[in-house]
Amino acid sequence: MKYTFFFFLLSFLLLLSCQPELILKEGPQYDYTGMDKQTIDLHKKFEKFIQLIQHYKDPFELHPHTRIEEIIIDPKTRRINVRFSQHFAYFPFREENVITLYQLAREQLDEKYSDYKLTLSVGEYPIEQLVPNYFRDRLPKDPLRLPKEKQRTVKPIVTRLDKWIPEKGLYNRNIGLWHSHGWYYDYKKDRWEWQRARLFQTVEDLLPLSFTIPYLIPMLENAGAQVFIPRERDIQTNEVIIDNNTVDNEKGLYIEVGGLNNRVWINGNTPGFAEAPKPYPLNLNLFRLGTYQEVESDSIVSAKIQWIPNIPEEGNYAVYISYFGSQENADDVLYTVYHTGGKTRFLVNQQIGGQMWVYLGQFKFDKGTHAEKGMVEVVNLSGQPGKLITADAVRFGGGMGNIIRNDWNSQRPRFMEGSRYYLQYDGMPDTLVHNLSKNGQDYINDINSRSEYINYLNGAPNGPNKNRDLPGLGIPIDMTLAFHTDAGITDNDSTIGTMLIYSTTGADTQTVFPDSVSRIATRDFADIVQTQLLNDIKKTFNPEWNRRRLLDARYSEAFRPNVPGVLLELLSHQNFEDMKYANDPRFRFMISRAIYKGVLKFITSQNVSEFVVQPLPVDHFQATFDTLGSVILKWQPVNDPLEPSAVAEKYKVYTRVENSGFDNGFIVDEPKAVIEDIIPGLIYSFKITALNAGGESF
């Protein structure tokens, strides 16, 4: 037995002594023609450097195509600049791995270069400059990638008066967001079709919206943001429009009231919305066909308009308003939506966002005409008497596609269509936003229109790329995110991973935005979102999830936005293993929450402010009767192991009676509420959300 043990020990020691030295793979072949000997020697040393760091699996994940593009030796200034290909920047840079990279690079240099200043760069950026501001502790923050205006002076376009205001969330931040492609018309084939292939019972034109509409957009709005989407967001296929130009009693009622204090509604001086015979031809702008009404604001309610729809079918409907916007308008115009859950009030800033559909929210309405629980009303009460208040059409529901192509319309719900058609319906100028390429190239126009829509909302100096000085609609957009699921394919059962695409050059190939902010901020944004996604996916669903490239590339949705914008390729709809995750609602919630957190961390780092993550939904809910017939509601908060700041501070209790909609709720300090005045024989429903300085939970 003892001989067996000694034989095993001797074999183990021999095995250790025979371990081979590190064998470096042969790198890319270089042409040294024109280089002097000094540069060639240095070049070969950094070729070895590339091969060395390829063996650092983490944190570098160096792409195998990484190569040296240029080495500049300057004996006068005692400087060496080694410029690598874009592949070198595919992984995220942090202060720690930058230090390691420079240490490894220094080890390749001879003694004669010991006093030279060494710079490792990708393009024009030293790698230390590619560390996002958000992840910097020792490095100073880069002010060139920060907006000049930290505190927003423009009021939000819409403020819901019963809404919880998150002081450390995204209040008064404006986000451009869209979900991939959409149903479009192909002129060559003379048919409407999807832009991407049908696979695994879905298509990329629809899959991303199953993340954005039910999860991501509400999370951003619950954090206080305004979200602008170049596609229809309401899946309701019915639609009712009430307008002063096309009063149709079958559709509903339009009622003007005025006369008190000499306040009378009159026609405005410029065109407004009007419907036309459907379907609508190429580039017809409905917001240039009719009129709008205007009145002077007052310190009392001395004029109002009511839009009362004839709802075709009971259900939930998005409510959109429209108006003519100008600096002469009031920025606190009071709108009220009457619905089956009560009434909800909004203040609308009419100085921005005019002549388009402005989203208020989604509400439940009964079938038919019911003014007390099915109406939108605007009054001329304002804290700015003497200003203008304007009023145009009101729209209920998302509806069906109504844009015609070569005698065809889409015959699909509007939310399924591409951006190009919705933006025409939304009143956007054609040659600046949704018809940049002529000859019926709807596919190209659809892709380009998403970014140019955001630029038009923003206006000068970051306006549409054909006219950046155009005033636009005056809505200061903070960032854009394009959500896609086309990240590749495998021939096995592994997942693809997550890739983020950004562009450090704009439509004019400049490395700064028109307002002079450095476009390197787009890489910061991409890095923060990708890191958040990878962190949360690995901790909750799949520890082997792959971090794919941080790709600097001239994709339309990356270089066209004149604000920081990224293109997310979350996973692959072409890959069966990925689709097992994509169809899981828990995964969709987690992914959306990770993206929301990435957006939150980027925007707050850009504006040098603190953030708090909104809480998770509560659980352990119960409802019991006490001896007096009141209902006692109890629940428990849920801690988020991924985010220590996501702690509930208060709660909101919403109530529904019978089949009505939920009311606007009330706030309590503890996980308990008492509901009195319960009427016997009726069914009551309750829902609870958690609140903190970051926002409201689901």
Side-chain angles (χ1 to χ4, degrees):
M1 186 73 177
K2 67 179 181 178
Y3 293 109
T4 304
F5 171 76
F6 283 118
F7 177 77
F8 172 79
L9 179 61
L10 179 61
S11 300
F12 180 70
L13 292 173
L14 285 171
L15 181 65
L16 287 178
S17 65
C18 294
Q19 287 296 303
E21 295 182 5
L22 183 64
I23 300 175
L24 300 180
K25 297 179 181 178
E26 186 176 351
Q29 299 300 308
Y30 292 94
D31 181 4
Y32 303 123
T33 305
M35 296 185 192
D36 57 33
K37 184 177 184 305
Q38 183 183 30
T39 305
I40 292 173
D41 291 343
L42 203 55
H43 205 286
K44 290 181 176 180
K45 290 180 182 298
F46 279 99
E47 291 172 34
K48 182 181 178 183
F49 163 74
I50 290 174
Q51 295 178 64
L52 282 170
I53 60 176
Q54 282 175 334
H55 290 269
Y56 282 79
K57 183 67 176 174
D58 188 52
F60 299 120
E61 303 168 11
L62 193 65
H63 193 276
H65 293 163
T66 302
R67 57 182 290 119
I68 301 163
E69 296 211 333
E70 185 179 30
I71 295 179
I72 302 173
I73 307 170
D74 189 344
K76 291 183 179 179
T77 60
R78 315 293 283 178
R79 290 177 179 272
I80 299 173
N81 184 4
V82 184
R83 187 166 63 86
F84 296 93
S85 65
Q86 185 60 232
H87 309 89
F88 195 51
Y90 282 179
F91 67 89
F93 289 101
R94 300 290 182 267
E95 291 174 327
E96 295 75 14
N97 63 24
V98 166
I99 291 172
T100 301
L101 286 169
Y102 272 106
Q103 287 175 342
L104 286 171
R106 277 278 173 202
E107 291 174 4
Q108 310 311 310
L109 298 179
D110 295 335
E111 184 66 27
K112 63 182 178 181
Y113 298 120
S114 61
D115 63 340
Y116 274 61
K117 166 72 175 176
L118 175 63
T119 301
L120 307 178
S121 63
V122 179
E124 66 176 70
Y125 300 105
I127 61 172
E128 56 270 27
Q129 197 172 340
L130 299 180
V131 179
N133 275 343
Y134 176 77
F135 292 110
R136 294 188 183 193
D137 293 320
R138 288 165 285 183
L139 283 172
K141 309 290 187 192
D142 178 9
L144 297 178
R145 66 186 77 181
L146 302 178
K148 296 179 177 64
E149 179 190 272
K150 303 296 189 298
Q151 299 299 320
R152 183 139 294 156
T153 56
V154 179
K155 286 185 178 180
I157 187 171
V158 175
T159 301
R160 181 167 169 165
L161 292 181
D162 66 276
K163 192 80 171 176
W164 175 257
I165 296 180
E167 297 176 354
K168 296 183 179 180
L170 294 171
Y171 177 69
N172 202 10
R173 294 294 162 187
N174 300 309
I175 292 169
L177 174 69
W178 53 88
H179 29 259
S180 188
H181 310 277
W183 189 248
Y184 86 109
Y185 180 72
D186 187 321
Y187 276 85
K188 292 182 178 179
K189 299 176 183 177
D190 188 23
R191 71 182 189 191
W192 289 78
E193 62 183 15
W194 296 118
Q195 294 187 34
R196 293 295 183 265
R198 299 167 176 85
L199 289 163
F200 300 118
Q201 297 185 322
T202 189
V203 61
E204 193 190 9
D205 306 59
L206 294 178
L207 178 60
L209 68 80
S210 67
F211 290 78
T212 56
I213 289 180
Y215 300 110
L216 177 55
I217 293 170
M219 287 177 186
L220 294 169
E221 291 175 335
N222 285 350
Q226 308 279 333
V227 184
F228 296 89
I229 313 158
R231 289 178 66 180
E232 175 60 59
R233 63 185 289 168
D234 188 12
I235 65 173
Q236 171 63 252
T237 57
N238 292 308
E239 178 185 46
V240 179
I241 295 177
I242 309 296
D243 180 45
N244 64 298
N245 292 111
T246 51
V247 178
D248 183 345
N249 290 337
E250 291 187 3
K251 288 186 175 182
L253 303 174
Y254 171 85
I255 301 172
E256 286 183 13
V257 179
L260 188 63
N261 282 359
N262 295 318
R263 302 301 203 264
V264 179
W265 293 97
I266 61 173
N267 280 348
N269 296 324
T270 55
F273 179 90
E275 289 192 90
K278 299 184 183 70
Y280 301 130
L282 179 71
N283 300 329
L284 177 70
N285 191 330
L286 299 178
F287 285 87
R288 301 294 185 270
L289 297 183
T291 63
Y292 63 90
Q293 300 300 97
E294 65 180 36
V295 72
E296 195 173 331
S297 61
D298 205 343
S299 57
I300 62 170
V301 177
S302 54
K304 63 183 178 182
I305 292 179
Q306 297 174 334
W307 297 264
I308 307 171
N310 183 3
I311 297 295
E313 184 180 6
E314 175 190 313
N316 294 316
Y317 290 74
V319 174
Y320 298 87
I321 61 170
S322 62
Y323 51 85
F324 176 80
S326 75
Q327 289 302 304
E328 284 69 49
N329 286 43
D331 63 9
D332 60 348
V333 181
L334 179 61
Y335 285 80
T336 304
V337 178
Y338 294 78
H339 51 95
T340 61
K343 60 181 182 179
T344 304
R345 299 185 304 153
F346 301 85
L347 292 182
V348 175
N349 180 0
Q350 287 196 349
Q351 294 183 356
I352 59 178
Q355 293 182 296
M356 62 178 282
W357 294 120
V358 176
Y359 177 77
L360 294 186
Q362 192 174 73
F363 306 92
K364 187 173 184 181
F365 297 101
D366 284 338
K367 181 179 180 179
T369 303
H370 308 278
E372 70 281 1
K373 54 181 180 179
M375 175 177 70
V376 173
E377 179 181 77
V378 65
V379 298
N380 69 332
L381 175 67
S382 170
Q384 303 169 309
K387 286 277 196 176
L388 279 181
I389 289 177
T390 62
D392 207 341
V394 172
R395 177 161 70 96
F396 301 82
M400 300 291 290
N402 55 15
I403 307 296
I404 194 170
R405 289 291 182 269
N406 201 20
D407 298 327
W408 291 68
N409 68 334
S410 75
Q411 302 180 40
R412 295 277 177 139
R414 186 175 291 117
F415 79 90
M416 292 185 179
E417 291 184 338
S419 300
R420 188 258 172 269
Y421 313 107
Y422 180 75
L423 293 176
Q424 177 180 339
Y425 191 56
D426 197 30
M428 296 298 107
D430 56 353
T431 57
L432 292 174
V433 174
H434 58 78
N435 195 29
L436 300 176
S437 300
K438 297 182 180 179
N439 302 320
Q441 297 185 38
D442 282 17
Y443 181 90
I444 299 299
N445 285 327
D446 184 61
I447 293 172
N448 294 337
S449 68
R450 306 163 198 164
S451 303
E452 297 297 353
Y453 161 70
I454 297 301
N455 294 337
Y456 182 71
L457 293 182
N458 213 346
N462 291 2
N465 285 301
K466 282 192 174 183
N467 184 0
R468 290 179 175 174
D469 294 328
L470 194 74
L473 297 184
I475 303 171
I477 304 295
D478 291 275
M479 41 71 48
T480 69
L481 188 143
F483 193 135
H484 292 262
T485 57
D486 194 8
I489 191 167
T490 65
D491 56 3
N492 54 38
D493 61 355
S494 64
T495 55
I496 291 292
T498 298
M499 177 169 67
L500 266 292
I501 301 170
Y502 64 98
S503 179
T504 51
T505 57
D508 55 4
T509 70
Q510 295 294 310
T511 58
V512 296
F513 291 109
D515 62 1
S516 301
V517 173
S518 172
R519 289 189 65 97
I520 198 64
T522 60
R523 180 183 167 93
D524 282 19
F525 184 22
D527 190 344
I528 292 169
V529 170
Q530 187 189 51
T531 299
Q532 189 70 59
L533 281 165
L534 267 292
N535 176 71
D536 290 7
I537 293 172
K538 288 185 175 184
K539 288 182 178 179
T540 56
F541 274 85
N542 185 345
E544 302 301 321
W545 197 271
N546 185 31
R547 182 194 289 272
R548 300 186 68 229
R549 291 170 286 177
L550 277 170
L551 180 61
D552 187 353
R554 289 183 59 77
Y555 284 67
S556 175
E557 294 164 303
F559 77 77
R560 277 188 179 275
N562 288 324
V563 295
V566 298
L567 193 161
L568 165 66
E569 294 286 7
L570 174 68
L571 43 72
S572 177
H573 61 267
Q574 305 175 59
N575 200 43
F576 180 70
E577 185 68 17
D578 289 77
M579 288 304 298
K580 284 161 52 177
Y581 289 101
N583 284 310
D584 187 336
R586 298 166 301 173
F587 184 79
R588 291 176 179 177
F589 179 90
M590 181 274 297
I591 287 295
S592 300
R593 187 167 168 86
I595 297 171
Y596 141 68
K597 290 188 292 185
V599 169
L600 173 68
K601 292 175 180 180
F602 171 69
I603 289 181
T604 52
S605 68
Q606 284 293 96
N607 295 284
V608 196
S609 58
E610 296 181 2
F611 71 85
V612 169
V613 175
Q614 63 190 220
L616 287 171
V618 303
D619 66 6
H620 289 77
F621 174 81
Q622 66 174 11
T624 58
F625 284 97
D626 66 9
T627 56
L628 300 176
S630 298
V631 173
I632 311 299
L633 307 178
K634 293 182 180 180
W635 58 89
Q636 291 182 7
V638 175
N639 291 326
D640 186 347
L642 301 177
E643 290 294 337
S645 71
V647 177
E649 298 172 357
K650 296 178 184 293
Y651 306 91
K652 201 167 189 181
V653 181
Y654 298 87
T655 304
R656 178 179 69 191
V657 181
E658 291 288 310
N659 198 35
S660 68
F662 280 95
D663 64 12
N664 294 323
F666 63 91
I667 294 174
V668 296
D669 293 328
E670 298 179 338
K672 177 182 178 181
V674 179
I675 310 297
E676 300 176 340
D677 301 323
I678 295 293
I679 301 174
L682 299 181
I683 297 175
Y684 286 78
S685 305
F686 306 98
K687 63 180 182 181
I688 316 296
T689 62
L691 309 171
N692 67 10
E696 183 173 8
S697 76
F698 273 37

